[in-house]
Amino acid sequence: MTSIKKNIPLIDQHDKNGLWGGKFGGNFIPETLKKPVEDLNNLFEKLRKDKNFIKERDYYFKNWVGAPTPLIKLENLTNHLGGAQIWAKVVSEANGGAHKIYNATVHCLIAKRAGKKYIVGDTGAGYAGKMLSMAAKKFGLKCKIFMGAKDIKRQRPNVESIRKNGATIVPVTSGSQTLVDAVSECMRYWVSNCDTAHMCVGSTVGPNIFVKICGYSTTQISRELLKQIEYEFGEVPKKLKLINCVGGGSSAYGFWSKFMDFSKKQVEMIGVEAAGPKDSKLHAAPLSRGGKLGILHGAASYICQDRDGQIKETESISAGLDYPGVSPLHCFLKDTGKARYTSETDEAALKAYKLVTKFENLNPSLEPSHAFATAIREAVKYSRDTVIIVNSCGDAQKDKDILKKRLRKLK
Amino acid sequence: MSLSPISLAFKKCREMGRPALLTFTVAGDNTKKKSLDILKSISENADILEIGFPHNTPIGDGGQIQTSSYRSIKNGFKVRDIFQIVRKYRKIKNSKPIILMGYYNMIFQYGENKFLTQCKKSGINGIIVVDLPWPENKIFAKKCKKKKISFIQLLSPTTSKVRIKKIMKDSHDMCYYISMLSTTGGKLKISPKKILENYNKIKKTNKSKNLVIGFGITNKTISSLKSADGLVVGSQLCKEITKSIKKRQNPVTNLNKMVLNLKRRIS
Ligand SMILES: Cc1ncc(COP(=O)(O)O)c(C=O)c1O
């Protein structure tokens, strides 16, 4: 296993086959997609060196997405727990209510440069779809969103936003009717329409180039965070923990990427996957619950699968984390020991949500509530000189039905 | 050097002045036994049989083949069953060459070497891996060659000229041209004339390779493409299985009729 290099973005530390650590990622795609993927790769490499493109990106991040999103101290929660300081990077303050806006914006800017009129994307929690439809509207692109039928039911507020933005939603009724099926269907659509449509993969998953574009986009989070930390603390604290939920891993990568060169002793990165319902064998935690290396959606990563290589059904209260694979970037971070991964159950996430909202004026969606569960668990082990920052990457508006129902039962 | 069973099948068809007819059905659809019976029955009129190993996340397949795959998995299909099906099929008189088609994760989980040993033992002649394009497939293709199994390279309308040359150079005795930008089972959205134009460009780079066309071919379109070396029909057969089950008819006899009909249209 190759080790992580300093001073080079992790998204660029792959070999000529597109593999990180010699085995994660790559391009396991049908022949038809080889050319569109190569074209996209060339265009992206050109654009990221183009000063005008970067200017444009930063302009929209600042004036449309709303950068920087706040870094706030959760004083009451910290005092209640009596351990480490807990802070939140409130990424949910970004336009639309989640980090998915960065990837969506960059993809639309690229699609425009590529001369494409159509853009298609997948969504689980509905945020990736909502943001893509918002950005598509903003930049004058026609948009189609693939979403599992089960997710359409459980994330209604985001579905309504997608429709309001004028995008078409394609319900996916195959398999488990969740994110995994939405991504498959979106890729199939792209195979058939790659001459006219641009595809946006909603997280740091999929063929190599999609991992890179998404990671490049969400890196905005840590670019802001590093500055905010220096402002608040004067320097990066001696003991810092960055805790983030991991579905595909786009928010976690973006939250961590500018901290890769710090030692593990100083900056610990903890990824939190979805362990599913307490009494269920099903989960969505390939990194922390023994997923095996395999190929899903064009890339090699740890995957929830059976011995035959069939993708296993997953289960989580959080649609955004309910995915059997994970970014190759996180597989690489796990194997090198650079980051640590754990998981939290549905019930633990709900409890954390309840505690956070009891003490703070913050409304984290079910995805970051998983991260808060781990943060709460960690905080009590340390004292005030340890600083924990949680990426509160989504707003719970979309989860209001689930929360209403489940919190009533929760004692 | 003697010809491989696949090359031999093409040669025979050429001598008869018609393209080879390749069928595609999914292993274990709708049961292991039925899918074996289907193979036995359609091999009366088909020249080469492709069988798919069903995957539950197939990014290159349209509705018909997905339905067949999910049905097979639901009925308990395991990867090892495919070897059993082929071994049993091989026991019939006049069995036809068999090509496995599937996704790389199944091979990867089984282990490349072990998988190929099993293929050899059960009498599989060729392999198509949908999501292992060139050059990613170089090492695996070499392993196939060592075992005298044809690794079948795919080419598509998006494959550049330079790439076509490189792929053809690394190819074995058969290659597969994807007729249009589509998953399997799509409607033919470009004219047969245009498809054959693209086809001929590839064919010209190396006339000795058997080049087949697949995707979107049905009994309605097959005759317009008959100047190719071979033609693959898949989704229409899978759809017929679905229909037969719904109507409580025997898919074996229905598929036999359909394949006979297809053959008549290109003879
Ligand atoms: C708010 C929120 N957080 C996290 C995720 C998980 O995705 P990722 O791990 O790529 O950040 C999603 C996905 O939909 C989401 O909407």
Side-chain angles (χ1 to χ4, degrees):
Chain A
M1 170 67 59
T2 39
S3 54
I4 293 175
K5 294 186 195 82
K6 289 202 171 171
N7 289 316
I8 305 172
L10 195 67
I11 55 167
D12 296 318
Q13 296 189 32
H14 56 79
D15 62 20
K16 66 176 194 328
N17 297 316
L19 297 168
W20 284 273
K23 60 179 186 180
F24 303 118
N27 289 294
F28 297 89
I29 49 177
E31 172 64 23
T32 305
L33 291 184
K34 269 283 184 181
K35 173 85 168 39
V37 160
E38 190 191 314
D39 289 348
L40 182 57
N41 201 51
N42 293 342
L43 179 61
F44 176 63
E45 289 308 327
K46 199 180 96 192
L47 289 178
R48 49 192 298 210
K49 289 185 209 106
D50 178 342
K51 281 202 188 85
N52 287 328
F53 179 78
I54 294 168
K55 234 169 129 183
E56 200 181 357
R57 178 200 71 181
D58 291 344
Y59 173 83
Y60 288 110
F61 278 3
K62 182 156 176 280
N63 297 300
W64 186 62
V65 173
T69 59
L71 172 68
I72 60 169
K73 185 170 182 190
L74 306 182
E75 294 265 10
N76 300 339
L77 185 65
T78 300
N79 291 338
H80 170 74
L81 294 170
Q85 299 178 42
I86 305 184
W87 293 66
K89 168 85 172 143
V90 196
V91 171
S92 59
E93 287 286 308
N95 194 6
H99 65 287
K100 301 282 180 191
I101 191 69
Y102 303 109
N103 189 42
T105 304
V106 169
H107 266 288
C108 284
L109 290 175
I110 293 174
K112 292 289 277 185
R113 301 282 178 123
K116 295 275 165 79
K117 292 195 172 60
Y118 298 88
I119 194 158
V120 298
D122 58 79
T123 196
Y127 271 134
K130 178 183 171 184
M131 308 313 181
L132 195 64
S133 65
M134 268 170 63
K137 189 174 166 189
K138 170 100 185 149
F139 297 108
L141 295 160
K142 279 220 167 99
C143 180
K144 207 189 266 285
I145 301 294
F146 293 84
M147 187 169 189
K150 180 177 169 188
D151 291 337
I152 290 182
K153 277 200 199 110
R154 63 174 165 171
Q155 306 278 238
R156 246 184 347 153
N158 279 350
V159 172
E160 280 159 23
S161 305
I162 296 170
R163 294 221 169 95
K164 240 186 238 155
N165 291 329
T168 314
I169 297 188
V170 184
V172 182
T173 53
S174 56
S176 55
Q177 317 201 352
T178 56
L179 180 56
V180 64
D181 311 293
V183 178
S184 301
E185 197 58 29
C186 186
M187 285 195 168
R188 287 183 202 117
Y189 182 86
W190 200 43
V191 171
S192 302
N193 299 279
C194 53
D195 50 345
T196 53
H198 176 88
M199 179 173 75
C200 165
V201 179
S203 185
T204 36
V205 298
N208 174 281
I209 183 60
F210 293 96
V211 175
K212 292 181 72 170
I213 293 175
C214 186
Y216 168 86
S217 311
T218 54
T219 290
Q220 175 66 16
I221 302 169
S222 54
R223 199 177 291 126
E224 295 170 11
L225 180 61
L226 193 55
K227 276 193 209 145
Q228 289 167 323
I229 285 178
E230 277 162 4
Y231 176 79
E232 293 287 349
F233 301 94
E235 59 178 356
V236 175
K238 289 282 163 300
K239 286 184 246 170
L240 177 66
K241 293 181 194 297
L242 300 177
I243 304 183
N244 204 128
C245 61
V246 175
S250 64
S251 51
Y253 176 73
F255 192 49
W256 297 345
S257 69
K258 290 284 172 190
F259 294 87
M260 290 293 163
D261 291 354
F262 288 91
S263 78
K264 211 164 58 174
K265 260 175 81 183
Q266 184 177 4
V267 180
E268 191 186 18
M269 305 187 273
I270 306 173
V272 186
E273 297 183 304
K278 198 170 57 191
D279 305 319
S280 168
K281 278 206 180 97
L282 298 179
H283 58 79
L287 289 171
S288 55
R289 294 207 160 187
K292 266 190 66 201
L293 185 65
I295 286 109
L296 174 64
H297 295 145
S301 81
Y302 292 116
I303 292 168
C304 303
Q305 57 178 330
D306 70 11
R307 284 183 54 190
D308 260 10
Q310 305 290 0
I311 306 307
K312 267 195 199 164
E313 208 162 316
T314 56
E315 192 176 355
S316 169
I317 191 173
S318 143
L321 305 183
D322 203 354
Y323 183 70
V326 65
S327 178
L329 297 170
H330 290 291
C331 298
F332 188 36
L333 288 170
K334 179 191 151 103
D335 266 30
T336 51
K338 179 76 188 159
R340 172 159 79 81
Y341 296 87
T342 177
S343 63
E344 296 286 355
T345 62
D346 291 358
E347 290 77 7
L350 285 165
K351 254 193 202 154
Y353 174 82
K354 211 172 163 185
L355 196 70
V356 171
T357 51
K358 181 179 168 192
F359 285 106
E360 302 291 343
N361 182 24
L362 192 70
N363 195 25
S365 69
L366 288 166
E367 292 81 15
S369 290
H370 283 72
F372 276 111
T374 296
I376 291 162
R377 230 181 271 285
E378 289 284 313
V380 294
K381 295 189 211 160
Y382 303 96
S383 55
R384 290 295 151 98
D385 58 344
T386 295
V387 176
I388 292 176
I389 307 177
V390 177
N391 182 1
S392 194
C393 56
D395 186 90
Q397 168 67 16
K398 70 171 176 74
D399 297 323
K400 62 179 198 274
D401 296 348
I402 303 171
L403 287 165
K404 204 166 130 195
K405 195 165 132 206
R406 295 292 303 268
L407 287 178
R408 235 186 295 140
K409 286 188 219 153
L410 196 76
K411 268 162 260 139
Chain B
M1 216 179 86
S2 65
L3 284 180
S4 77
I6 290 179
S7 290
L8 209 59
F10 281 107
K11 186 165 174 270
K12 271 191 206 157
C13 293
R14 205 168 285 127
E15 283 163 6
M16 287 186 278
R18 66 169 176 87
L21 176 61
L22 293 86
T23 57
F24 173 93
T25 49
V26 172
D29 183 25
N30 61 336
T31 64
K32 279 178 255 176
K33 180 166 181 312
K34 260 294 185 268
S35 71
L36 173 63
D37 290 345
I38 287 172
L39 290 179
K40 285 180 183 170
S41 169
I42 60 177
S43 89
E44 226 180 276
N45 294 301
D47 302 298
I48 296 172
L49 304 175
E50 284 182 19
I51 44 176
F53 38 114
H55 186 29
N56 68 359
T57 321
I59 55 171
D61 285 305
Q64 309 301 344
I65 293 176
Q66 278 183 56
T67 301
S68 282
S69 300
Y70 300 149
R71 191 160 51 211
S72 162
I73 294 166
K74 200 169 147 222
N75 288 339
F77 175 87
K78 294 277 174 279
V79 171
R80 61 170 185 274
D81 297 333
I82 215 165
F83 302 119
Q84 227 179 49
I85 292 170
V86 176
R87 246 196 312 267
K88 283 185 184 159
Y89 167 76
R90 276 276 167 256
K91 294 208 174 103
I92 68 168
K93 245 201 287 175
N94 302 324
S95 73
K96 303 286 168 69
I98 293 262
I99 293 172
L100 278 196
M101 181 158 180
Y103 291 83
Y104 185 60
N105 198 37
M106 325 293 298
I107 299 170
F108 185 66
Q109 297 310 321
Y110 204 90
E112 284 187 353
N113 296 332
K114 200 174 133 205
F115 187 85
L116 288 175
T117 305
Q118 285 298 330
C119 284
K120 195 73 213 170
K121 262 196 207 158
S122 45
I124 285 158
N125 309 96
I127 297 180
I128 301 174
V129 191
V130 180
D131 56 350
L132 196 65
W134 187 91
E136 276 82 1
N137 60 34
K138 275 184 165 183
I139 295 172
F140 185 66
K142 265 189 200 141
K143 285 185 184 175
C144 289
K145 189 152 205 171
K146 259 197 193 146
K147 287 251 190 293
K148 295 204 169 67
I149 294 171
S150 297
F151 183 85
I152 292 145
Q153 298 282 359
L154 295 156
L155 301 117
S156 97
T158 56
T159 313
S160 69
K161 250 195 209 157
V162 184
R163 200 172 147 79
I164 289 173
K165 272 199 186 133
K166 288 178 183 168
I167 294 177
M168 291 299 275
K169 193 170 150 269
D170 274 355
S171 70
H172 300 169
D173 53 349
M174 171 182 160
C175 298
Y176 189 129
Y177 178 64
I178 297 167
S179 62
M180 57 180 170
L181 302 186
S182 175
T183 52
T184 55
K187 249 203 162 132
L188 215 52
K189 57 182 179 183
I190 52 174
S191 71
K193 190 168 155 248
K194 182 75 200 160
I195 295 171
L196 286 171
E197 237 174 76
N198 291 340
Y199 173 90
N200 288 327
K201 271 185 213 151
I202 299 170
K203 182 74 188 171
K204 249 194 276 170
T205 63
N206 190 334
K207 293 219 166 94
S208 72
K209 309 273 177 169
N210 300 294
L211 184 60
V212 305
I213 306 177
F215 284 45
I217 301 179
T218 64
N219 57 352
K220 293 215 172 70
T221 50
I222 195 164
S223 60
S224 58
L225 294 165
K226 67 182 178 189
S227 64
D229 296 340
L231 298 165
V232 189
V233 179
S235 290
Q236 198 180 29
L237 300 179
C238 293
K239 191 172 168 185
E240 187 63 25
I241 297 178
T242 304
K243 263 204 221 152
S244 304
I245 295 170
K246 231 185 224 158
K247 289 201 238 159
R248 295 172 179 276
Q249 294 172 346
N250 187 357
V252 181
T253 41
N254 285 354
L255 260 72
N256 183 289
K257 267 189 238 159
M258 187 171 254
V259 174
L260 173 63
N261 186 15
L262 286 165
K263 186 179 161 186
R264 283 194 180 137
R265 280 169 196 262
I266 53 170
S267 296

